[in-house]
Amino acid sequence: MKNGIIVSFNSGFVTVVDESDGKEILCSLRGRFKITGTKPLVGDRVEYIVEGDRGRVESILPRHNVLERPKVSNVDQAVAVFSISTPMVPLSIVDRTVANISKTLAEILIVLNKIDITDRSKVEEFKKIYEVYKVFLVSAHLGTGIEDLRKNLEKKISVFAGPSGVGKSSIINSLLSANLKTGNISKTNFGKHTTTAVSLLKIEGGGFVLDTPGFTTVEFDDLKPEEVQKLFPEIFNASHKCLFDDCVHDLEPGCHVKEMVENGTIPKSRYENYLSILREVREKEGKFEKKR
């Protein structure tokens, strides 16, 4: 029995990458999966056996999470890519995107791309605002910062997210294993080497990446007001010193978070964008209560 990861589906078969040697093998699925209604997913860690030049998946190991769009399991982290030059992504969009990802994944890497055409002072300011996260300063065009980013993707399944035009495809293409580099990554399936829209792509040094549209629609309908702060780590960490345990850092007295904003420890833009989401959640909650 061998262990592997499902990276794609192809006409009733799955492609599995062996976890010990990194080799790919086309595998069939045991008939009992269909009988029991078990549906394997890209990202599933499986046990399989080799039969000639193919394999057969015998069992699916427990998943630690499942993303819904696209349907993929066992994601370790998200890589949120932005640009503040061409295009210029407003910090409000950065914060809403990162907060939206935080509802699903705890580990988030932030990549600022196109630093070769961005004013250095603006790059440093961006890095300081988001220092609570791991921030990578990258130029996909020049290759700057790619190796540093790659090291943080090794042995993990990472999903890429971010607005269109910021260079996600270029970054991913520069990370891919040599036999997957296509130079023509499409928006839906990353080019000719894949057989389905949902495929994990192996990167140099180990690890897998996937571009996902699942975080492009930013909605906070499923949150309660007191939960919004959990999407902003620096605000949530500071909340434990507030006078009131249920403080949401808006109008309450004795708010330690507001003190930290005033002295510059918490960036003002982060706090203002937190308040924007908080008020949005409150408004939606109020409408829901009226309907009831």
Side-chain angles (χ1 to χ4, degrees), residues 103-156:
K103 293 188 301 180
T104 307
L105 295 171
E107 191 68 26
I108 301 173
L109 311 182
I110 293 181
V111 172
L112 180 62
N113 191 25
K114 306 186 182 184
I115 62 169
D116 54 313
I117 56 172
T118 307
D119 183 87
R120 188 66 195 180
S121 63
K122 292 182 178 179
V123 170
E124 292 301 324
E125 181 183 3
F126 181 94
K127 185 177 180 181
K128 186 174 181 180
I129 289 173
Y130 295 99
E131 62 185 359
V132 69
Y133 302 95
K134 287 184 179 179
V135 178
F136 298 85
L137 306 179
V138 168
S139 167
H141 176 65
L142 299 178
T144 307
I146 294 297
E147 289 307 312
D148 190 24
L149 176 60
R150 186 195 313 278
K151 291 176 183 177
N152 285 266
L153 306 180
E154 290 178 358
K155 299 180 181 180
K156 296 181 178 180

Side-chain angles (χ1 to χ4, degrees), residues 162-233:
S164 61
V166 297
K168 296 190 299 295
S169 296
S170 297
I171 292 173
I172 292 174
N173 200 34
S174 65
L175 291 166
L176 296 181
S177 298
N179 65 324
L180 288 179
K181 292 183 185 294
T182 66
N184 184 30
I185 296 177
S186 72
K187 188 173 182 180
T188 55
N189 65 8
F190 279 112
K192 300 173 183 178
H193 57 270
T194 65
T195 55
T196 62
V198 183
S199 298
L200 292 181
L201 304 178
K202 190 176 180 181
I203 63 173
E204 294 281 4
F208 300 90
V209 296
L210 170 72
D211 188 19
T212 172
F215 297 117
T216 55
T217 301
V218 181
E219 296 178 347
F220 301 99
D221 297 347
D222 53 346
L223 288 179
K224 296 179 181 179
E226 61 270 20
E227 295 174 327
V228 177
Q229 61 186 311
K230 295 179 181 179
L231 310 182
F232 290 75

Side-chain angles (χ1 to χ4, degrees), residues 266-278:
I266 293 178
K268 187 177 180 181
S269 63
R270 289 280 288 169
Y271 176 66
E272 290 177 344
N273 291 329
Y274 158 77
L275 286 181
S276 176
I277 296 174
L278 175 66

